[in-house]
């Protein structure tokens, strides 16, 4: 078995909502012994804190000022808990109101700047990680050794998200989820700052007809092949 040989290894996995990147990234990180960074959870954490504070997520300036003072931390458990100013908000991250609010938060250039900086610091600190989001290969870690982009047809992504929510004991209306996914796709792809794109030099995998295990296998094979190439 050949693992990538350099001492630092950054694997970026970008893609739209419900493309399976979180689950894939977490599993790949586990199997290759790399740190896992869920950057969507950081945007969701800010959204949850904004809502808990009773603020309007669309109030750009107030959110920017509020976010500048937030202390976001991932714990060491697996999967890690996200605390914001010492309060554990993990249980809120997938709630419907947070999911609705997060597009405004992700379109806020000040919040993005702050989280991009935080993600680069985590990258420097951990050295070897799988990081997933919308802009990891295109903006945050442009020089990453391995860049992947996962995609799938919108109805398939909606079905996967609904299953995930039901497994977590939460209600899930697939039609509504599809509408939310299409809305978030549009906002993620068209925002001025860090829009969702397939990064330059990234390998794009359409996972529509693949099982989760097949995607994980394909990603691991890709990481190993890159390791052999650079060895
Ligand atoms: O992957 P997710 O659904 O948890 O992401 C939540 C939101 O955060 C989604 O609207 C996209 C945004 N996001 C982003 O803009 N950049 C990232 N690196 C990660 C997520």
């Amino acid at each position: 078995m050949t693992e990538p040989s350099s001492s630092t290894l950054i694997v970026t996995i970008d893609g739209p909502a419900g493309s399976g990147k979180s689950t894939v990234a977490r599993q790949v990180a586990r199997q290759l012994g790399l740190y896992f960074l869920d950057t969507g959870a950081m945007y969701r954490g800010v959204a949850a804190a904004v809502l808990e504070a009773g603020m309007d997520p669309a109030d750009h300036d107030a959110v920017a000022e509020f976010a500048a003072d937030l202390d976001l931390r991932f714990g060491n458990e697996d999967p890690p808990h996200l605390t914001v100013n010492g309060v554990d908000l993990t249980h809120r991250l997938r709630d419907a109101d947070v999911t609705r609010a997060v597009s405004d938060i992700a379109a806020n250039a000040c919040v993005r700047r702050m989280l991009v900086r935080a993600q680069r610091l985590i990258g420097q600190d951990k050295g070897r990680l799988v990081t997933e989001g919308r802009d990891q290969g295109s903006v945050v870690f442009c020089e990453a050794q391995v860049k992947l982009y996962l995609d799938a047809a919108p109805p398939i992504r909606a079905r996967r998200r609904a299953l995930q929510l039901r497994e977590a004991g939460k209600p899930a209306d697939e039609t509504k989820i599809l509408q939310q996914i299409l809305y978030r796709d549009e906002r993620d792809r068209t925002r001025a700052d860090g829009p969702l794109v397939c990064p330059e030099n990234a390998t794009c995998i359409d996972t529509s007809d693949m099982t989760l295990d097949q995607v994980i296998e394909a990603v691991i094979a890709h990481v190993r092949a890159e390791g052999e190439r650079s060895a």
Side-chain angles (χ1 to χ4, degrees):
M1 189 189 305
T2 310
E3 301 297 345
S5 58
S6 62
S7 57
T8 62
L9 173 63
I10 297 187
V11 178
T12 62
I13 304 186
D14 289 302
S19 56
K21 59 191 185 315
S22 293
T23 316
V24 170
R26 179 174 285 121
Q27 285 298 330
V28 169
R30 258 185 213 160
Q31 292 189 33
L32 294 180
L34 305 172
Y35 183 80
F36 165 60
L37 179 61
D38 174 356
T39 62
M42 298 170 88
Y43 287 91
R44 286 173 181 271
V46 174
V50 162
L51 293 177
E52 298 286 308
M55 294 171 65
D56 174 3
D59 186 340
H60 181 281
D61 293 341
V63 167
E65 200 177 320
F66 175 76
D69 288 332
L70 291 179
D71 177 20
L72 266 78
R73 285 169 199 251
F74 285 108
N76 289 321
E77 43 308 273
D78 184 19
H81 285 212
L82 182 71
T83 59
V84 183
N85 288 354
V87 179
D88 189 341
L89 289 179
T90 314
H91 63 289
R92 289 281 283 123
L93 299 184
R94 300 270 149 202
D95 285 349
D97 59 337
V98 172
T99 298
R100 273 194 302 275
V102 74
S103 283
D104 278 322
I105 302 300
N108 188 312
C110 294
V111 173
R112 294 203 77 81
R113 256 200 309 281
M114 178 191 120
L115 293 186
V116 166
R117 203 178 312 126
Q119 289 155 18
R120 287 185 179 139
L121 286 174
I122 293 172
Q124 272 171 22
D125 179 42
K126 304 293 176 191
R128 295 173 65 80
L129 77 159
V130 180
T131 178
E132 64 95 351
R134 303 294 190 285
D135 56 352
Q136 297 302 287
S138 54
V139 174
V140 184
F141 299 106
C142 297
E143 307 300 326
Q145 288 93 330
V146 185
K147 296 187 193 184
L148 290 145
Y149 185 86
L150 300 187
D151 207 348
I156 289 178
R157 293 192 269 131
R159 190 165 321 137
R160 289 177 182 164
R161 215 0 90 88
L163 272 174
Q164 230 177 22
L165 285 167
R166 287 184 197 124
E167 275 169 19
K170 299 196 172 181
D173 175 337
E174 220 170 291
T175 311
K176 266 202 196 130
I177 293 173
L178 178 57
Q179 283 167 358
Q180 277 181 357
I181 278 182
L182 293 173
Y183 172 75
R184 280 205 289 149
D185 276 5
E186 173 69 12
R187 292 206 60 178
D188 288 344
R189 289 191 167 116
T190 56
R191 67 169 167 248
D193 201 3
L196 172 67
V197 287
C198 179
E200 207 178 319
N201 303 325
T203 298
C204 184
I205 303 177
D206 184 340
T207 70
S208 298
D209 298 321
M210 294 169 81
T211 64
L212 183 60
D213 284 345
Q214 285 171 332
V215 183
I216 293 168
E217 219 171 280
V219 170
I220 288 179
H222 190 74
V223 175
R224 288 190 172 135
E226 286 297 310
E228 271 169 16
R229 249 170 21 101
S230 57

